[in-house]
Amino acid sequence: EVQLVETGGGLVQPGRSLKLSCVASGFTFNNYWMSWTRQAPGKGLEWVASITNSGGSTYYPDSVKGRFTISRDNAQNTLYLQMNSLRSEDTATYYCTRGSYVFAYWGQGTLVTVSS
Amino acid sequence: DTVLTQSPALAVSLGQRVTISCRASKSVSTYMHWYQQKSGQQPKLLIYSASNLESGVPSRFSGSGSGTDFTLTIDPVEADDIANYYCQQSNELPLTFGSGTKLEIK
């Protein structure tokens, strides 16, 4: 059974940093692209970042480019999202998702709240 | 960016057929996917590449369309289908989602 478990969310002040982790199990992690998608409270879904299976290439929308960094450790079956210079508009539940352009598996999400 | 437009809400009677629409601001070929999100849960993939049913999804769900106009059909609607439904395009980066359609029961 595919499982994706996110951790690392919490309350953080504007301008500060936070790093999310996602531990994957139930599939061969290094065979798949991985992504992060977020959802602000009561709002819709927004793609945040994707990374190739080797980790050699990464992709971001303009809203987070230069502030967020997606990475992975294939030996540890773990996906990361380093978030710097956080803003109030980054407040959201962050989901770890398996896939490059379509997301068949989602974690339960971790809530990030950016507030002073 | 490709903007996806969905109606905010739809009300339907149990046992009836409902179609949820998604219009893209430019052609996405058939690179359109549909997700269901129930209250307090993560999204679930229903349909990929416009018309392909994801494994384990009931055959009551179907998708159609190409280019800029797409539909998700549920026939017949069951009480368990009450949720928000999102379309998502993967024709170009950035990947974008529609704002969602809330399905309600009359």
Side-chain angles (χ1 to χ4, degrees):
Chain A
E1 178 193 5
V2 172
Q3 287 199 320
L4 302 169
V5 180
E6 305 96 333
T7 56
L11 176 63
V12 61
Q13 293 179 328
R16 303 299 292 266
S17 299
L18 199 64
K19 187 171 186 176
L20 307 182
S21 300
C22 168
V23 175
S25 61
F27 64 100
T28 304
F29 185 68
N30 60 14
N31 281 355
Y32 291 88
W33 286 42
M34 296 293 295
S35 302
W36 290 95
T37 301
R38 68 183 179 184
Q39 186 171 37
K43 302 297 184 183
L45 299 164
E46 181 186 16
W47 169 68
V48 171
S50 293
I51 187 168
T52 57
N53 55 320
S54 67
S57 295
T58 57
Y59 305 88
Y60 308 92
D62 287 346
S63 58
V64 307
K65 193 176 294 182
R67 299 189 300 123
F68 289 12
T69 301
I70 187 172
S71 62
R72 64 193 296 162
D73 182 341
N74 284 344
Q76 299 294 324
N77 289 353
T78 303
L79 179 73
Y80 301 101
L81 185 67
Q82 175 69 47
M83 303 184 293
N84 299 332
S85 304
L86 282 162
R87 307 167 180 168
S88 59
E89 54 264 38
D90 296 318
T91 293
T93 295
Y94 285 74
Y95 295 101
C96 170
T97 55
R98 192 185 88 173
S100 52
Y101 302 126
V102 58
F103 308 123
Y105 294 95
W106 298 64
Q108 85 288 348
T110 187
L111 177 62
V112 173
T113 303
V114 183
S115 175
S116 54
Chain B
D1 297 4
T2 303
V3 176
L4 303 181
T5 301
Q6 297 183 246
S7 298
L10 275 175
V12 62
S13 300
L14 294 177
Q16 297 301 303
R17 178 177 183 267
V18 67
T19 58
I20 298 170
S21 65
C22 177
R23 174 163 287 178
S25 60
K26 63 180 83 168
S27 176
V28 299
S29 183
T30 57
Y31 298 109
M32 184 65 78
H33 323 291
W34 290 94
Y35 301 85
Q36 176 194 64
Q37 187 179 32
K38 297 180 181 178
S39 180
Q41 296 185 17
Q42 65 268 57
K44 173 186 176 182
L45 178 66
L46 299 176
I47 301 288
Y48 63 94
S49 300
S51 61
N52 296 282
L53 191 68
E54 174 68 0
S55 176
V57 174
S59 58
R60 302 182 289 104
F61 293 88
S62 62
S64 64
S66 65
T68 61
D69 291 296
F70 299 85
T71 58
L72 171 70
T73 300
I74 311 172
D75 187 13
V77 171
E78 297 184 359
D80 188 52
D81 300 333
I82 299 310
N84 286 304
Y85 292 85
Y86 294 92
C87 55
Q88 178 238 321
Q89 67 81 26
S90 61
N91 182 64
E92 66 172 16
L93 295 181
L95 307 178
T96 52
F97 290 86
S99 55
T101 296
K102 184 175 183 178
L103 188 63
E104 302 169 326
I105 300 299
K106 284 182 184 176

